[in-house]
Amino acid sequence: MHAPRFLSHRPRWIGLFVAAIVGTLSACSVAPVLHAPEPASPSVQAPAPAEIDSTLHTSPLHTPPLPAPILREQSRWVPVQWSELPGLDTDAIHEAWPAWLQSCQRPGPTWKALCPEIAQLANAPVEQQRRWVRDKLQPYRVESHEQRPSGLLTGYYEPALVGSRQAQGNFKVPLYAVPNQLGQRKPWYTRQEIDTVPAARAALRGKELLYLADPVDAMVLHIQGSGLVNVTEPDGRQRWVRMAYAATNDQPYNSIGRWLLDRKLITDASWPGIKAWIDRNPSRVNELLWQNPRVVFFREEALPVGTTPPGPKGAQGVPLTAERSIAVDRRSIPYGTPVWMKSTGPQTHLDRLVLAQDTGTAIVGAVRADYYAGSGAAAGELAGRLKQPLQMWALWPR
């Protein structure tokens, strides 16, 4: 499981879920390009349908010469033929189009000219979309500067919980907004101090946003950095709200799963395993949770009533799309870049088109990604089992 990368600039020590719980180009190559986030542009309007020639495609009998490699701060992009990409002809790439349209709400200069065509193709047959991708883009194998093409894929998700506006019944675990005095003390109080030091408790008085019933659920929310909470409003209506990352207390993140493993208290450091230990040791809950001094402060985002909540915003500033958005090291892959990924593990095989829309402090390196699995328990189960080899190909305009 595990980071929201940022979900709206959330910290990504949470880029690992299970892992977080337990623990040269030649002289003729292009010069290094150090990439900062590309500036946002206004939403793109689709052109008239006549502007795209849907019959245009590259003949399989003619393969154009490959361009030069691209050297980025954290990676080396090596141009390849489309035939190198596994599963290209079988992936339902139309499922990635909504994520691509989201990236086109904040396109960088490289993508601004193509976004109108991407918008026009939103409802086109999948074969036309696939043909356009081949015609307009060039695939590059992403490698480290040491020419290593393999890396690591992990997963993250957005918890979906139940909460209360008031401290009542079992709902006694507060989620806090940013305290007014946060900037006056760095690092701020630890998790244990927040629970026990009068000055810390006084600084958070009145900053309670919602209350949860389970302190471990609150810890999951802190690790993921963002989450959905179903609350009952004073008028009796139930609605979803999003607890979005706002800040931290600047304390280090320590894994409570690692703490349990190191003391041989458990052998299964998944959240079900941790919760099972808590059920057997209810008097030690605070002792366990205090091992992680980092606390996340939230801000509430209202969501439309009666509709499926959109995904949380990633570091690109657009909502994430379940199973089609990834967090990357932006020094390796710029935000908004379509990426072909291949990852095979004991239970999960992924050959698919995804969009680089998020990042995180744990997501570092040339071939490194965190896969956004979506919201809720099923997404958490998928994210929790992802820790497997990864290959990536960046798709870049010709």
Side-chain angles (χ1 to χ4, degrees), residues 287-360:
E287 178 189 3
L288 173 65
L289 299 182
W290 289 346
Q291 303 310 310
N292 177 23
R294 185 186 291 262
V295 171
V296 170
F297 302 113
F298 300 95
R299 56 184 173 80
E300 180 176 337
E301 291 183 355
L303 298 171
V305 177
T307 62
T308 301
K313 287 185 178 180
Q316 189 187 0
V318 301
L320 303 179
T321 301
E323 300 189 44
R324 293 291 176 168
S325 296
I326 59 172
V328 297
D329 186 335
R330 67 181 186 182
R331 300 170 301 169
S332 173
I333 300 176
Y335 297 148
T337 302
V339 173
W340 194 266
M341 60 176 279
K342 174 181 176 61
S343 182
T344 301
Q347 303 178 54
T348 306
H349 181 83
L350 298 168
D351 289 345
R352 60 178 50 200
L353 179 64
V354 293
L355 274 291
Q357 297 176 319
D358 205 358
T359 195

Side-chain angles (χ1 to χ4, degrees), residues 29-296:
S29 301
V30 297
V33 180
L34 308 185
H35 288 267
E38 297 178 311
S41 299
S43 300
V44 177
Q45 299 298 319
E51 292 187 23
I52 292 181
D53 180 359
S54 64
T55 64
L56 176 64
H57 63 280
T58 302
S59 168
L61 300 179
H62 172 69
T63 55
L66 294 175
I70 297 175
L71 186 63
R72 296 193 178 276
E73 181 181 354
Q74 192 70 18
S75 63
R76 177 179 186 260
W77 290 13
V78 181
V80 299
Q81 302 293 350
W82 282 104
S83 57
E84 181 173 317
L85 277 61
L88 179 66
D89 294 326
T90 56
D91 179 43
I93 66 170
H94 65 282
E95 295 177 0
W97 230 260
W100 212 338
L101 293 174
Q102 291 290 0
S103 280
C104 277
Q105 299 305 306
R106 296 177 62 86
T110 301
W111 291 99
K112 186 175 182 179
L114 286 181
C115 276
E117 296 183 27
I118 295 168
Q120 182 183 332
L121 286 165
N123 297 313
V126 66
E127 287 309 318
Q128 186 176 344
Q129 294 175 336
R130 207 184 316 272
R131 187 163 57 243
W132 182 90
V133 168
R134 285 177 174 267
D135 291 341
K136 297 289 187 176
L137 308 181
Q138 168 64 47
Y140 292 82
R141 184 175 63 251
V142 181
E143 301 179 347
S144 69
H145 290 305
E146 296 74 31
Q147 302 183 29
R148 289 192 294 268
S150 297
L152 176 67
L153 179 71
T154 51
Y156 66 104
Y157 80 112
E158 186 174 46
L161 307 169
V162 177
S164 170
R165 293 286 185 188
Q166 293 83 33
Q168 57 184 350
N170 293 327
F171 295 98
K172 298 177 180 178
V173 183
L175 301 176
Y176 292 109
V178 178
N180 296 334
Q181 303 91 338
L182 183 64
Q184 299 174 12
R185 177 188 175 112
K186 285 188 175 292
W188 213 64
Y189 298 101
T190 66
R191 182 180 300 274
Q192 181 175 358
E193 289 169 337
I194 286 174
D195 288 344
T196 60
V197 174
R201 298 175 69 85
L204 288 168
R205 192 169 297 122
K207 293 296 181 178
E208 301 88 349
L209 293 172
L210 297 175
Y211 294 87
L212 302 181
D214 188 338
V216 179
D217 283 344
M219 177 69 80
V220 171
L221 191 59
H222 285 212
I223 292 175
Q224 296 301 313
S226 174
L228 298 173
V229 183
N230 189 270
V231 298
T232 301
E233 300 292 2
D235 61 5
R237 293 184 305 162
Q238 287 191 331
R239 66 177 300 170
W240 288 102
V241 298
R242 173 168 284 123
M243 292 288 100
Y245 169 85
T248 76
N249 59 350
D250 292 313
Q251 296 285 349
Y253 170 76
N254 292 334
S255 166
I256 60 174
R258 182 77 266 165
W259 185 82
L260 290 168
L261 286 174
D262 288 346
R263 284 152 185 78
K264 297 181 170 48
L265 298 174
I266 61 172
T267 57
D268 172 16
S270 67
W271 281 118
I274 293 172
K275 283 192 172 185
W277 182 88
I278 289 173
D279 289 342
R280 298 191 302 269
N281 300 274
S283 64
R284 301 186 68 181
V285 172
N286 283 339
E287 178 189 3
L288 173 65
L289 299 182
W290 289 346
Q291 303 310 310
N292 177 23
R294 185 186 291 262
V295 171
V296 170

